[in-house]
Amino acid sequence: MMAATIAIKNGHIFDPLNEINGDVMDIFIKDGKVVRELSSSEMKDAKVVDATHMTVMPGGVDSHSHVAGAKVNAGRLMRPEDHYKWIRKKTPLTHSGSGYTVPSVYLGGYEYSAMGYTTVFEAAIPPMEARHTHEEMRSTPMLDMGGYLVLGNNWFLMRYLRDGDIERAAAYVAWMMKTHKTYGIKCVNPCGVENWGWGKNVSSIDEANIHFEITPRDMIHGLCEINELLSMPMSMHLHANNLGHPGCWETTRESIEIPENIKARTDIDVEWAETKVDPQRKQSVYLTHAQFNSFGGTSWGDFESGTKKIIDYVNKSDHVVMDSGCVPFGEATVMTGDGPAIHDLHVLTGNKWSNTDVELECGAGVLPFTYLKKNPVHSVQWAMGLEVLLGVTDVWKSIMTTDSPNGGPFVTYPKIIAWLMSRQAREDTFNECHKWASDRSDLRAVDREMSLYDIAVLTRATPSRAIGMAHRKGSLGVGADGDVAIYDIDPTRLEVNESEKIIRTFQNAEYTIKDGEIVSRRGEIMAIPEKRTYYADVKVKGDGEKEMLADVNKWFKYYTIGFANYPTPEKYLSNPTPIKVNGGR
Ligand SMILES: [Zn+2]
């Protein structure tokens, strides 16, 4: 499909990477990329979109969402009732699709696009499940994608790092990224998930894994060090130990302190779009779903928000970026690589659950869940997710997510935007909530109301920078991908307390444009664009890879699959787009 030429006229532009805050400007796109201007002959052939009195942002970027792969599919199986709650009918252009918390791959792509998103990264790919994950990502329309490889309980890495062999560990990670066509390093409950194979967990970052005798502290430090040794595009993506337990903020705080002295270092071969704000990531750790990692209290009886301790630390340091993991109330499906955390939630709720052990690598658990306003703990969680976003003073350190579908499905993002923009909207929800929401969090005292510019930072600029995609995503600078979202909001007449209207507007963008082509309009899919799958093609210096592979081969006998069937060939990817990474010192 030929990328289109398009002129977007007279919109109010919100493009934080270029410090543009609502100015009325035109945006031009040619051959799929933002250009400074179009010649008069190009203008004649261009599609013209009139964005007068409208809000124009770069296409949305979701840096943490569960949309493809084995555990998502398990979620679909476990939630048959999910399939009549949100439906799209087939059109001449589209597939039919269904599912609210765990939509079909087709529906997921269409709904993201309807909201103005063009880029979504899958948050957890177990190496052995990479083929399946890529098959689902390939079938997800409308979106450019990539995914993070789950490595925090990997037998090879636990051995190499225990032995202090950082070079071999780095060679392994580099090889794994290429082999499974993945983009970044994910670490979930390091050493605890492997202990779960024996019915145990770890309760602190200094408790060693039973068999490999390595601690979570060493694993987190090791992976952060490898990440920078390899000059990866994004920082190490961390789901800390003890998640979902009262008092877990303490473990989280200790965990994000570990890489304090590790310097962010990215070296990728790409064309950079023009930006005013430095597009390079600054952080050496990306803490995900901070809300789930910040529980306070010592039991469910004295449960309270513990976000303040995390927010205070993030406010005074430069090496942490985090996403919120907001809880917008209603149905969710909890799914994570943290099997023991899901088991504990099953014991607590009695909800059905599933668990998987992924051989030498990791695990996962899935559990259908509903967050209720009348439930004391859930109401505090709602407040905590918003506290994370409103409490971090520098919006360039935080990202708006629900950890979809863990806190709630991504289609609820517009509700979160409404709460962030209006204190009155939050007050209305407080009045419907259990009183713990105000008694056990600080949210009610927060009077910050976010602007459209702030929202553009939280949903475009910071996520794209945090995952090292700001060379082409989350920006309308010259050379960026021609991905644009146009919302029917006149910023000069914005009524922040009209929450219903704000929600409706962000639910269905007036136009979503991808690579210069109008792909959806007011929720209706207009075109199926080409999509790309990004992965890190990491080059390492020296011949460490050969020795490392000999060892991997020796240990492969513990796998149920043969070595030759392990890699994911490029044909499993839609439009494979390797990011050349110059690793090694
Ligand atoms: Zn997640």
Side-chain angles (χ1 to χ4, degrees):
M1 193 180 298
M2 197 45 214
T5 302
I6 195 165
I8 301 159
K9 307 279 280 183
N10 290 320
H12 292 270
I13 313 295
F14 293 88
D15 178 13
L17 276 165
N18 290 290
E19 295 180 336
I20 302 171
N21 184 4
D23 303 6
V24 174
M25 292 169 68
D26 300 337
I27 301 286
F28 302 105
I29 299 167
K30 192 185 139 190
D31 297 333
K33 296 277 187 186
V34 178
V35 292
R36 206 171 306 283
E37 56 192 358
L38 295 173
S39 68
S40 50
S41 66
E42 285 165 342
M43 263 315 279
K44 259 182 231 143
D45 298 331
K47 167 108 191 136
V48 177
V49 171
D50 179 10
T52 309
H53 304 311
M54 291 192 197
T55 290
V56 178
M57 295 183 182
V61 178
D62 197 340
S63 54
H64 189 109
S65 185
H66 300 270
V67 284
K71 72 183 177 328
V72 179
N73 225 18
R76 293 188 187 110
L77 288 170
M78 289 171 72
R79 265 205 168 277
E81 74 282 10
D82 207 48
H83 293 261
Y84 59 78
K85 290 179 179 152
W86 195 290
I87 289 165
R88 257 181 200 264
K89 286 192 181 146
K90 179 184 167 338
T91 71
L93 200 59
T94 64
H95 285 253
S96 58
S98 69
Y100 176 61
T101 65
V102 211
S104 70
V105 287
Y106 295 106
L107 186 63
Y110 303 146
E111 295 305 339
Y112 261 118
S113 184
M115 293 196 308
Y117 278 72
T118 54
T119 307
V120 175
F121 273 55
E122 162 57 47
I125 305 183
M128 261 188 77
E129 310 284 359
R131 279 194 189 192
H132 179 187
T133 312
H134 278 295
E135 284 175 322
E136 291 205 1
M137 292 205 287
R138 183 177 61 188
S139 299
T140 303
M142 319 303 287
L143 304 172
D144 286 348
M145 301 181 82
Y148 314 142
L149 197 64
V150 185
L151 291 172
N153 290 274
N154 179 291
W155 289 16
F156 298 96
L157 284 175
M158 288 201 282
R159 279 168 54 226
Y160 300 156
L161 290 174
R162 175 200 59 203
D163 299 343
D165 196 345
I166 193 90
E167 299 290 331
R168 183 174 285 198
Y172 176 76
V173 171
W175 174 76
M176 288 287 274
M177 288 294 154
K178 286 182 285 190
T179 299
H180 301 293
K181 309 293 182 286
T182 45
Y183 185 88
I185 300 174
K186 175 80 181 284
C187 176
V188 179
N189 184 4
C191 307
V193 179
E194 173 50 33
N195 272 3
W196 175 236
W198 308 91
K200 298 195 165 60
N201 198 345
V202 290
S203 56
S204 88
I205 60 166
D206 294 310
E207 183 181 336
N209 175 267
I210 305 167
H211 292 90
F212 295 91
E213 294 169 339
I214 175 174
T215 63
R217 183 190 295 281
D218 291 339
M219 180 54 84
I220 292 169
H221 191 273
L223 286 177
C224 287
E225 207 182 333
I226 290 168
N227 197 84
E228 306 313 326
L229 190 69
L230 295 178
S231 307
M232 295 293 285
M234 65 182 290
S235 49
M236 201 275 271
H237 196 52
L238 178 66
H239 159 138
N241 301 96
N242 259 336
L243 171 138
H245 301 124
C248 69
W249 72 266
E250 224 165 328
T251 311
T252 303
R253 169 79 181 253
E254 288 173 342
S255 303
I256 56 179
E257 280 174 10
I258 295 171
E260 215 167 38
N261 296 318
I262 296 180
K263 274 214 99 49
R265 177 174 174 271
T266 293
D267 188 356
I268 52 179
D269 281 344
V270 290
E271 292 240 2
W272 289 88
E274 280 179 24
T275 54
K276 274 206 170 143
V277 174
D278 185 354
Q280 290 273 20
R281 72 177 163 100
K282 303 282 173 287
Q283 293 87 7
S284 54
V285 65
Y286 173 163
L287 175 69
T288 187
H289 39 66
Q291 177 271 128
F292 290 111
N293 278 301
S294 305
F295 288 11
T298 57
S299 72
W300 295 113
D302 67 358
F303 176 81
E304 62 178 6
S305 167
T307 57
K308 191 176 182 315
K309 329 282 199 311
I310 304 300
I311 292 166
D312 286 349
Y313 181 76
V314 172
N315 276 339
K316 70 177 171 64
S317 29
D318 294 319
H319 69 286
V320 190
V321 64
M322 59 185 181
D323 72 54
S324 55
C326 283
V327 171
F329 292 118
E331 290 200 22
T333 298
V334 183
M335 52 178 68
T336 167
D338 195 343
I342 294 290
H343 175 255
D344 293 343
L345 199 55
H346 158 70
V347 171
L348 191 70
T349 60
N351 293 5
K352 67 182 167 187
W353 68 297
S354 71
N355 180 79
T356 304
D357 178 63
V358 188
E359 306 200 1
L360 281 62
E361 298 176 344
C362 52
V366 181
L367 177 142
F369 198 82
T370 305
Y371 296 93
L372 303 167
K373 286 181 181 161
K374 299 291 170 211
N375 180 295
V377 172
H378 304 173
S379 70
V380 180
Q381 286 184 271
W382 164 75
M384 288 168 64
L386 297 176
E387 275 184 313
V388 168
L389 295 172
L390 293 162
V392 174
T393 35
D394 180 0
V395 273
W396 292 90
K397 291 178 180 175
S398 49
I399 295 166
M400 190 193 86
T401 65
T402 57
D403 186 15
S404 179
N406 284 281
F410 64 83
V411 289
T412 59
Y413 285 179
K415 289 190 192 179
I416 297 165
I417 292 175
W419 281 314
L420 293 174
M421 292 183 75
S422 159
R423 188 177 182 188
Q424 185 59 50
R426 301 197 288 272
E427 201 52 36
D428 292 346
T429 304
F430 269 118
N431 292 332
E432 298 165 5
C433 268
H434 193 279
K435 64 181 174 52
W436 276 24
S438 48
D439 293 353
R440 300 192 181 199
S441 84
D442 296 331
L443 183 66
R444 207 159 195 170
V446 175
D447 52 19
R448 185 177 186 182
E449 293 189 323
M450 285 192 164
S451 63
L452 288 168
Y453 188 81
D454 293 332
I455 299 298
V457 180
L458 293 178
T459 57
R460 273 83 178 159
T462 308
S464 81
R465 185 159 83 164
I467 62 173
M469 288 305 296
H471 57 282
R472 59 190 302 173
K473 300 292 184 190
S475 161
L476 296 174
V478 169
D481 285 5
D483 294 2
V484 187
I486 305 176
Y487 299 104
D488 186 11
I489 301 174
D490 182 346
T492 63
R493 296 162 164 226
L494 178 66
E495 295 287 345
V496 294
N497 295 336
E498 288 182 3
S499 293
E500 289 302 323
K501 200 172 153 199
I502 286 175
I503 292 168
R504 263 200 324 273
T505 311
F506 278 102
Q507 199 79 60
N508 289 315
E510 189 67 21
Y511 295 93
T512 303
I513 293 163
K514 185 171 181 297
D515 300 319
E517 185 182 17
I518 296 171
V519 292
S520 65
R521 173 126 209 240
R522 295 179 193 155
E524 196 190 326
I525 302 304
M526 309 297 285
I528 310 293
E530 256 188 31
K531 61 174 286 158
R532 306 175 190 87
T533 312
Y534 303 103
Y535 69 92
D537 184 5
V538 192
K539 202 162 58 206
V540 216
K541 297 200 178 91
D543 53 4
E545 183 171 300
K546 230 167 92 188
E547 274 176 50
M548 177 274 300
L549 276 182
D551 181 70
V552 168
N553 254 306
K554 211 163 61 199
W555 271 62
F556 225 82
K557 60 178 180 274
Y558 295 110
Y559 270 111
T560 59
I561 59 165
F563 189 69
N565 290 329
Y566 193 50
T568 305
E570 276 206 335
K571 66 178 181 191
Y572 282 78
L573 281 64
S574 172
N575 209 350
T577 308
I579 304 289
K580 299 269 178 209
V581 179
N582 302 304
R585 293 233 157 86

